[in-house]
Amino acid sequence: SRTTVNMLRLPRSLATRCAPSPSALARSASAAPALFWRPLPVARCLSGPRFYCDAAGKPSLLQLVVALRKDTGAGVSESKEALENSGMDIEKAKVYLANQAVTMAKKKSGRAAVEGGVAVSVVGARGVLAEVNCETDFASKEDAFAGVALDISKAIAASDYYGTGDVPVEDILALPHSTSEVSGKAVSTVGDAVEQLLASLRENVKIRRVTIVPETPHDDPSAYRVFYRTHGGVNAANPDVGRIGGVICIKVEEGEKPLTEKQELRLKTFGEELALQVVAMKPLYLNEAEMAAATEGAEAVEDDEDADEDYEPVFLKQDSLVHGKPMSTIINRFNKQFQAKIEVHSFKRYELSEGVIRVEANLAEDVQNALDEAAKARE
């Protein structure tokens, strides 16, 4: 409460600093007998937050703002506005903030979002690539953004959902989220997590695309292994979120005896090399038959002057980034040394904002255009 300091209860050094000197008291008394010295309020003498209560003992606005911020993660001005519009009731203020977040999401849903990250998760013999976009690279580096992007990929990988090609975003938003809260607020679905992240970052956040590798369930899940690599990490705390991500699925014929722990470790090392090949060399097709099926009936395209003449779109025909020989040769050599047969089943690669045309903004031009419009409006 707003009480004054009892000087006898203060440490001597602090009381000495707060109390006036005897000469000052004498001058004040001689100059104006009606004046007298009064001890300073607690907050004026002691450093720290100024937590006051009103005469009835109710929490002050400052205390309510602190409590609301702790529960919701909202800013000071937003918390103050919510309390003032909710009759200083914290529970009503939380509802007010939630409604404001929904309104903000609708306003920002049309804004361009080309930054963000590609999150990769693997659960058993099932891998997921998820590209989540935001407006600025500053937001993509936040722990909250990278955490939600990774949680989204984990939620899909842990589900029994399958889809061919890019999975519809509407289906993803309805899935249960892999964590119970985002930025201190409880969420239940992926859609709730995206909305809460938008409110926290104050930027447009959206799931652009999601792919499951493999696209269809395995006939025998124990015979498959999935490996992945990322590149260009956007957040140090979440290394599985980067600007590029690649997932590769391998089928393993173990023979009569299951693989030993040492063999599994060696297979993991080789699988990650294959995933690195996908990330670095940008293959489009697994083999020539897949390329022929994908390009059948397609119109001939004129040669691009900027195209790399040495680029090979077929994975098995590419030179290995690690060993320098064709990937088909590397896989055959591994099979002989490994004493088991492996073959690449499928793969997928995502690059952030792939295929999106970026428009470079010119701040000086935008400001000048705004000034010109304002001048015309005055005329």
Side-chain angles (χ1 to χ4, degrees):
S1 60
R2 188 184 292 273
T3 60
T4 57
V5 177
N6 186 338
M7 302 303 296
L8 297 178
R9 296 181 182 176
L10 289 177
R12 180 176 300 177
S13 58
L14 185 57
T16 302
R17 290 198 301 269
C18 294
S21 63
S23 59
L25 284 174
R27 288 196 301 272
S28 298
S30 60
L35 295 179
F36 61 93
W37 176 75
R38 183 177 60 185
L40 295 174
V42 175
R44 297 285 299 277
C45 292
L46 304 178
S47 60
R50 301 181 180 182
F51 290 161
Y52 297 136
C53 296
D54 59 16
K58 296 180 180 179
S60 67
L61 175 61
L62 181 57
Q63 287 178 300
L64 292 173
V65 167
V66 171
L68 185 59
R69 291 193 67 199
K70 184 178 180 180
D71 291 344
T72 64
V76 175
S77 58
E78 290 86 352
S79 299
K80 182 180 178 183
E81 178 185 348
L83 288 166
E84 291 175 345
N85 286 276
S86 306
M88 307 300 285
D89 187 309
I90 286 188
E91 296 304 321
K92 292 181 179 179
K94 291 179 181 179
V95 175
Y96 178 88
L97 288 173
N99 294 334
Q100 290 294 99
V102 173
T103 303
M104 183 190 304
K106 293 180 179 179
K107 290 181 179 179
K108 295 189 176 184
S109 61
R111 289 163 59 169
V114 295
E115 295 295 338
V118 175
V120 188
S121 291
V122 172
V123 175
R126 175 184 171 91
V128 171
L129 284 164
E131 180 181 348
V132 183
N133 295 136
C134 56
E135 296 179 39
T136 65
D137 59 344
F138 300 103
S140 68
K141 295 175 182 178
E142 293 287 338
D143 291 346
F145 176 86
V148 169
L150 188 59
D151 288 340
I152 290 172
S153 64
K154 288 180 179 179
I156 303 166
S159 70
D160 57 357
Y161 184 92
Y162 277 95
T164 303
D166 288 343
V167 178
V169 175
E170 294 77 13
D171 295 346
I172 302 302
L173 295 176
L175 290 176
H177 195 52
S178 60
T179 56
S180 59
E181 64 177 36
V182 173
S183 298
K185 183 177 179 181
V187 295
S188 58
T189 65
V190 171
D192 294 340
V194 173
E195 285 188 4
Q196 178 58 22
L197 183 62
L198 185 152
S200 175
L201 298 177
R202 305 184 70 83
E203 288 193 8
N204 184 21
V205 178
K206 64 180 181 180
I207 303 174
R208 184 187 175 207
R209 51 181 177 163
V210 173
T211 293
I212 301 172
V213 180
E215 296 179 344
T216 56
H218 298 296
D219 50 356
D220 180 12
S222 63
Y224 293 85
R225 308 290 190 279
V226 177
F227 305 98
Y228 70 95
R229 290 294 291 265
T230 60
H231 176 70
V234 298
N235 180 269
N238 295 277
D240 292 340
V241 182
R243 299 185 70 84
I244 304 174
V247 177
I248 190 164
C249 179
I250 298 173
K251 185 176 182 179
V252 183
E253 295 183 8
E254 299 183 3
E256 296 180 358
K257 296 182 179 180
L259 298 181
T260 64
E261 184 178 350
K262 186 176 181 180
Q263 287 176 314
E264 288 285 1
L265 181 60
R266 186 178 178 188
L267 178 60
K268 180 177 183 294
T269 301
F270 185 66
E272 290 178 348
E273 286 184 8
L274 299 182
L276 177 62
Q277 181 77 16
V278 172
V279 169
M281 304 305 290
K282 305 180 182 180
L284 299 177
Y285 314 102
L286 175 58
N287 48 43
E288 291 183 327
E290 185 177 298
M291 182 177 71
T295 58
E296 184 179 1
E299 297 181 0
V301 181
E302 296 182 2
D303 294 337
D304 188 353
E305 295 180 357
D306 297 330
D308 186 358
E309 296 180 356
D310 298 330
Y311 171 69
E312 174 57 61
V314 178
F315 177 81
L316 294 177
K317 295 178 66 177
Q318 288 183 339
D319 288 339
S320 170
L321 184 67
V322 178
H323 304 283
K325 295 182 179 180
M327 291 303 302
S328 58
T329 302
I330 299 301
I331 294 174
N332 290 334
R333 186 174 68 182
F334 179 82
N335 285 337
K336 293 179 182 179
Q337 297 175 351
F338 190 62
Q339 299 179 349
K341 182 181 179 181
I342 71 167
E343 63 179 31
V344 178
H345 177 272
S346 57
F347 65 84
K348 189 65 178 180
R349 179 185 185 274
Y350 270 4
E351 186 168 351
L352 180 65
S353 301
E354 196 172 25
V356 175
I357 300 176
R358 294 172 177 256
V359 179
E360 297 295 335
N362 189 317
L363 180 60
E365 290 183 1
D366 292 343
V367 171
Q368 187 60 48
N369 292 335
L371 292 175
D372 294 341
E373 291 179 2
K376 290 180 181 178
R378 289 194 298 268
E379 294 176 354

